[in-house]
Amino acid sequence: MASRVLGTFITEWDEGKATCKELLATKESAQMYAERLAELAAALGFDGWLINIENVIDEVQIPNLMVFVSHLTKVMHSSVPGGLVIWYDSVTVDGQLAWQDQLTEKNKPFFDICDGIFMNYTWKENYPKASADIAGDRKHDVYMGIDVFGRGTYGGGQWTANVALDLLKSSNVSAAIFAPGWVYETEQPPDFYTAQNKWWSLIEKSWGIVQTYPQVLPFYSDFNQGLGSHISLGGRKLSEAPWYNISCQSLQPLLEFNEGKNSDIMQVTVDGGEASYNGGGNVSFRGKLKRNAHFTARLFKPQLQLSASPISISFSLKSDKRSELSILLHFSSPSHDETKSFLMVPNESNNRFGDMFLPCLLTSKQTTSGWTVHETNLVLDGHTLTEISAFCSRPDDLTEETNTLEYFALLGHISIKSQQKTKLFPLASSWVIEAHHVKFVPGGSGSKTLSCKLEWRLKHPEEDSVFTKYNMWFKHVVRMVHGRSWMLPLTLWLK
């Protein structure tokens, strides 16, 4: 199941009570506001709502509150594919603000008319099992809250958040993790990327892998997390300004976190600080590696079904001369009841691993801006690509006397695509480009900022053109007015 993004509808205290009194004045007003929320979700592209009423409700308006929740669930299901409405455990069916911390007769009526319930964080050890028993067949729609800051949450949150997760898994209910930004907000040592990987590894160890990937080509990742300290394109750095844009996230690898300072441990992290091939992300490999040893790091576990047409596999690499990185591919074929593995090697010297991994695929390479792009072609009709890993090794001709050497390499991107057909990027005449919400905002020293939303689409969508990304270039416009130069900075909202 793909990840869902929910908006939060929240009312609080006296102001919230007044809002609810207006919203729930009649059955018709409750339905009308539910429809407006559904329209917002559909227009803004998110998947549903978390309803959090954190104020007292007049008991006479509880029936209309039930109408609001029920109708919102109905219209969300009809207007947004996979739409969800989740009720937060706060106000009860008698209108009191009384967190239950478990499923009870006071909050179950709301649970019964929507898609799930988000339980407050201060539950006790026996509450998950009791809630599961009451929920019956819908026990997985019960989301027990875990406050990562640890404020009254079972197990203490923070670096022991897995204690609560282990209990919830054994109780056969779901989990709602609140405020995982704790890692960043409290500046956990030694640095954000290391602490972030360490914390999420707790989730994987407790609940396993729940991430899904595309099952058809193309497959592409440049490891962007939606933020960075710079922006690169094709290995060339375009900007050194920090940026944040969550819509620029790409598929994230399933890295295993290795804790400790043991010299034998290779640290593999998604790192936005080092150089990047595209955007601001990469996977960095740091540690010590013996001359004749190798280290394998899992990256992705896709289920890519391959056809009879050739596929092109490429990756970008930046490393020192004593650190080599190859890509290890694992395939399965249910019809032939077999598995195959191939090692994409950047140098002929790596062919020595052929006895271990069956055939080695020697890549062609092209160097640009300090990055080397490796590429090879492969035909495996009827097979499924089940795992992509990085394979770290040393050159075979090392002459250093030291047996264990520092290892450092950066992986910039991985691309797997079919060679069945190659489409040229449509000409400018094939596109419709529109500007919405155009306005000029006065600035300092008599300047004005143009703010607008740009939207572009193909005139004939049936052409079915698919592209990994679009690169937009813009520049400051300087206009001469009455002999004076006017510069218009552009603020772009991209869809």
Side-chain angles (χ1 to χ4, degrees):
M1 182 181 70
S3 299
R4 313 282 181 88
V5 177
L6 306 185
T8 298
F9 179 83
I10 182 171
T11 61
E12 296 178 295
W13 317 122
D14 291 340
E15 183 180 357
K17 184 178 180 181
T19 297
C20 289
K21 190 170 185 178
E22 178 182 350
L23 185 153
L24 305 174
T26 64
K27 175 182 176 180
E28 290 72 24
S29 67
Q31 291 177 329
M32 184 271 290
Y33 283 112
E35 290 167 4
R36 299 295 83 77
L37 287 181
E39 290 173 0
L40 273 175
L44 298 176
F46 54 92
D47 305 294
W49 292 97
L50 170 67
I51 305 300
N52 184 5
I53 308 297
E54 298 228 37
N55 50 259
V56 173
I57 297 290
D58 291 337
E59 194 166 1
V60 295
Q61 290 192 318
I62 290 297
N64 289 343
L65 178 58
M66 302 291 288
V67 168
F68 171 73
V69 177
S70 177
H71 193 62
L72 176 61
T73 304
K74 178 182 176 180
V75 292
M76 280 300 305
H77 289 177
S78 62
S79 60
V80 176
L84 288 175
V85 175
I86 305 295
W87 176 261
Y88 183 68
D89 167 38
S90 47
V91 72
T92 61
V93 289
D94 55 11
Q96 298 302 307
L97 184 59
W99 299 269
Q100 301 295 292
D101 299 334
Q102 60 181 315
L103 199 59
T104 70
E105 73 281 358
K106 291 192 174 183
N107 56 26
K108 187 175 183 294
F110 296 108
F111 172 72
D112 291 338
I113 57 176
C114 66
D115 299 304
I117 187 167
F118 183 160
M119 290 301 177
N120 191 46
Y121 319 100
T122 52
W123 47 268
K124 308 301 181 183
E125 186 173 5
N126 61 318
Y127 288 8
K129 179 64 169 60
S131 298
D133 291 341
I134 295 174
D137 293 341
R138 292 191 61 202
K139 55 183 174 291
H140 292 131
D141 294 334
V142 176
Y143 299 85
M144 304 299 294
I146 301 173
D147 182 0
V148 180
F149 278 82
R151 294 163 290 202
T153 203
Y154 181 84
Q158 302 183 16
W159 293 114
T160 56
N162 56 305
V163 172
L165 286 169
D166 290 342
L167 177 63
L168 298 183
K169 185 177 182 180
S170 66
S171 302
N172 216 12
V173 293
S174 298
I177 300 175
F178 176 73
W182 167 82
V183 174
Y184 177 82
E185 294 180 49
T186 57
E187 299 181 347
Q188 290 297 302
D191 57 76
F192 169 70
Y193 290 103
T194 302
Q196 178 84 332
N197 290 328
K198 176 183 176 181
W199 191 87
W200 283 103
S201 73
L202 299 175
I203 310 301
E204 179 182 344
K205 289 175 182 177
S206 181
W207 278 45
I209 298 171
V210 294
Q211 195 165 5
T212 57
Y213 295 110
Q215 296 185 359
V216 295
L217 296 178
F219 181 95
Y220 176 87
S221 178
D222 49 26
F223 315 112
N224 275 302
Q225 292 187 325
L227 73 164
S229 60
H230 58 272
I231 293 179
S232 298
L233 178 63
R236 184 167 62 93
K237 185 177 290 187
L238 302 180
S239 169
E240 294 186 355
W243 62 276
Y244 303 89
N245 187 343
I246 200 168
S247 67
C248 291
Q249 285 185 352
S250 62
L251 297 175
Q252 291 299 299
L254 295 166
L255 302 180
E256 297 175 279
F257 180 79
N258 295 314
E259 187 174 12
K261 297 182 179 179
N262 190 322
S263 61
D264 294 332
I265 293 178
M266 183 78 69
Q267 296 293 347
V268 184
T269 59
V270 176
D271 191 339
E274 293 285 351
S276 301
Y277 183 74
N278 275 330
N282 63 67
V283 179
S284 68
F285 301 80
R286 292 181 177 87
K288 291 186 178 181
L289 191 64
K290 294 182 178 180
R291 292 175 60 187
N292 297 319
H294 65 271
F295 174 84
T296 302
R298 177 195 68 197
L299 296 175
F300 300 100
K301 292 182 72 68
Q303 292 292 322
L304 284 169
Q305 308 289 331
L306 305 182
S307 64
S309 61
I311 60 173
S312 172
I313 309 167
S314 65
F315 65 96
S316 53
L317 176 65
K318 176 176 281 194
S319 65
D320 59 45
K321 294 181 179 180
R322 302 185 303 180
S323 304
E324 291 186 338
L325 189 144
S326 307
I327 296 297
L328 178 59
L329 306 171
H330 295 287
F331 301 88
S332 68
S333 175
S335 59
H336 296 88
D337 192 25
E338 65 177 358
T339 60
K340 292 184 178 180
S341 298
F342 293 92
L343 191 65
M344 292 179 60
V345 296
N347 298 306
E348 292 185 4
S349 64
N350 292 65
N351 276 322
R352 68 187 186 276
F353 298 112
D355 294 337
M356 300 166 54
F357 300 104
L358 300 176
C360 288
L361 305 174
L362 186 62
T363 63
S364 61
K365 57 185 179 180
Q366 181 178 359
T367 302
T368 174
S369 301
W371 288 86
T372 303
V373 179
H374 301 270
E375 184 173 2
T376 193
N377 300 322
L378 183 65
V379 178
L380 274 179
D381 185 17
H383 283 72
T384 300
L385 177 58
T386 59
E387 186 166 325
I388 305 171
S389 299
F391 184 87
C392 303
S393 61
R394 295 292 188 186
D396 199 28
D397 57 353
L398 281 180
T399 58
E400 285 86 351
E401 295 180 359
T402 305
N403 185 47
T404 303
L405 304 173
E406 293 290 339
Y407 184 97
F408 177 74
L410 297 176
L411 181 63
H413 86 284
I414 291 179
S415 172
I416 305 174
K417 57 186 179 182
S418 172
Q419 292 187 327
Q420 186 175 12
K421 57 182 179 180
T422 302
K423 284 192 174 183
L424 297 176
F425 192 87
L427 299 174
S429 58
S430 302
W431 296 88
V432 175
I433 302 176
E434 298 177 344
H436 304 280
H437 313 300
V438 179
K439 61 181 178 180
F440 287 91
V441 181
S445 303
S447 65
K448 290 186 177 181
T449 299
L450 169 64
S451 177
C452 65
K453 175 183 177 181
L454 296 182
E455 181 179 352
W456 61 97
R457 62 183 181 275
L458 287 169
K459 293 179 180 178
H460 304 288
E462 64 273 10
E463 293 178 3
D464 192 30
S465 295
V466 178
F467 304 95
T468 303
K469 63 173 61 180
Y470 300 89
N471 294 313
M472 289 199 63
W473 302 89
F474 65 96
K475 61 181 180 180
H476 293 298
V477 178
V478 179
R479 178 178 296 177
M480 297 296 294
V481 179
H482 301 302
R484 296 180 60 188
S485 297
W486 294 85
M487 180 174 289
L488 303 178
L490 300 182
T491 301
L492 301 183
W493 296 88
L494 307 182
K495 178 180 180 182

